[in-house]
Amino acid sequence: MGALFLSTTLAPQPGFLILLVRATAEAALVGGLADWFAVTALFRRPLGLPIPHTAILPRNKDRIGEGLAAFIEHNFLSPNIVRAKLRSFDPARLVADWLSAPANADAVARRLVRLLPYLIRAMDDRDFRAFVGESLGRQLAQIELAPLLGRAITVLTANGFDEILLDRLLDFCRQFLEQREEQLYEAAEAQRRRWWIPKAVNRQIAKAIIGGLKELLSKLREPGTPTRRNLLDGIERLAAQLSTSPDYRARVEEAKLRLLEDAQVKIWLGSVWGDIRPVLLADLASPQSRADRTLGAAILSLGSHLLDDVAMRKRINRIIEAIVLELVPWRTGLAQFITGVVKHWDVSSFTNRVELVVGRDLQYIRITGTLVGGFVGCLLYLLSAALE
């Protein structure tokens, strides 16, 4: 436009058309320069001149941060807006849909498996293990164990699991006796209480005792026998006494505290972890990790069941809503955090970031300003010519 204006100005005897083009170019040049000045003034001082009300973004960086924080606080994090947004979709359904896809469940499992070795190795730190041990010890010491045991036995009994567990225990005891029967006989012969009692007598006594135990186990294993019924009734009475009897509660608490304070128990627990740890690390490092497959299957099953259970999804949505609304009062802290972050930004970096985001669109403002200026200049010249 500058070149067009200059060329029409140099024309020796300009006619109406050349004058019209000159007026249009002149107005377009003014419009383009005005928009260049306006756009440049947003980010810096045009030509480096200290013109008032220029370099708007650098001078108002902190105020812009405060305005952004206030905008987010009042327009995104108010309780009513957050509640309405959460209720407009089903967060639990979205999670269930996502987890019920095998690829997503496997991806979550793989990421969890990658984290587990770091957690396991972190537990090797002596101070960390001591801290966790003391914390767990304090928590266990505060838990009243007897009512929990009584409730657990009651639940097992109500669902018939007590008989299943009893059968497994009886089978284990019988198998133990049968596998070590000869060893028990030899131990009875070796541990003679009186020198004048023959070994054969001790062996016969041991056989009688073991035979009686086998007979008792057989009676307990047979459904409907009085012996088995008495044992099951005794288990039910034990559950009731654990839940209601102060004496039983005191005994269980005393036993629990003795176990927690016993040095041998602590050593045993430490040795158990030492045995389990290398097995876990080896499995997690294996390409065919069983933990990976098991965790993936569990996550997939969780997603599928959650997808089918509408009532559970509603409960989860209520929990999510309650948690998020509890965090909403912290929105002022979030606004202060945003303000603080913006304040610590370097001015030139802040300006460059904004300019890189919107600079391309601002170039079109200059072009548009040039075209609009030229159009207005053309109209004004035509209007003035018509009035003459």
Side-chain angles (χ1 to χ4, degrees), residues 262-309:
D262 188 81
Q264 295 298 322
V265 172
K266 295 179 180 179
I267 294 173
W268 178 75
L269 290 175
S271 66
V272 169
W273 169 247
D275 295 335
I276 294 175
R277 177 186 173 277
V279 176
L280 287 175
L281 290 176
D283 179 73
L284 293 173
S286 172
Q288 291 81 29
S289 172
R290 285 178 293 178
D292 193 345
R293 294 195 302 271
T294 303
L295 192 57
I299 293 173
L300 182 63
S301 176
L302 173 64
S304 300
H305 282 83
L306 186 58
L307 199 60
D308 297 333
D309 195 334

Side-chain angles (χ1 to χ4, degrees), residues 191-202:
Q191 298 293 330
R192 287 188 297 171
R193 294 293 181 180
R194 299 289 186 271
W195 62 269
W196 43 269
I197 299 178
K199 291 183 179 181
V201 174
N202 278 340

Side-chain angles (χ1 to χ4, degrees), residues 216-227:
L216 176 61
L217 292 174
S218 298
K219 290 182 179 179
L220 291 173
R221 189 67 173 80
E222 294 177 5
T225 59
T227 306

Side-chain angles (χ1 to χ4, degrees), residues 61-79 81 328 330-343:
K61 175 177 68 69
D62 294 345
R63 193 174 68 179
I64 291 171
E66 293 171 0
L68 176 63
F71 179 78
I72 293 175
E73 177 183 357
H74 297 295
N75 294 281
F76 287 90
L77 298 179
S78 66
I81 293 175
V328 165
W330 295 359
R331 66 186 188 276
T332 303
L334 177 61
Q336 293 173 352
F337 172 75
I338 295 173
T339 303
V341 170
V342 174
K343 282 184 178 179

Side-chain angles (χ1 to χ4, degrees), residues 164-194:
I164 297 174
L165 292 176
L166 178 61
D167 290 341
R168 296 294 181 270
L169 178 61
L170 294 174
D171 293 340
F172 173 78
C173 293
R174 186 174 185 86
Q175 185 179 6
F176 179 85
L177 287 175
E178 291 175 350
Q179 290 178 348
R180 292 166 176 78
E181 188 171 354
E182 190 61 33
Q183 296 177 11
L184 293 173
Y185 294 156
E186 293 175 358
E189 293 175 353
Q191 298 293 330
R192 287 188 297 171
R193 294 293 181 180
R194 299 289 186 271

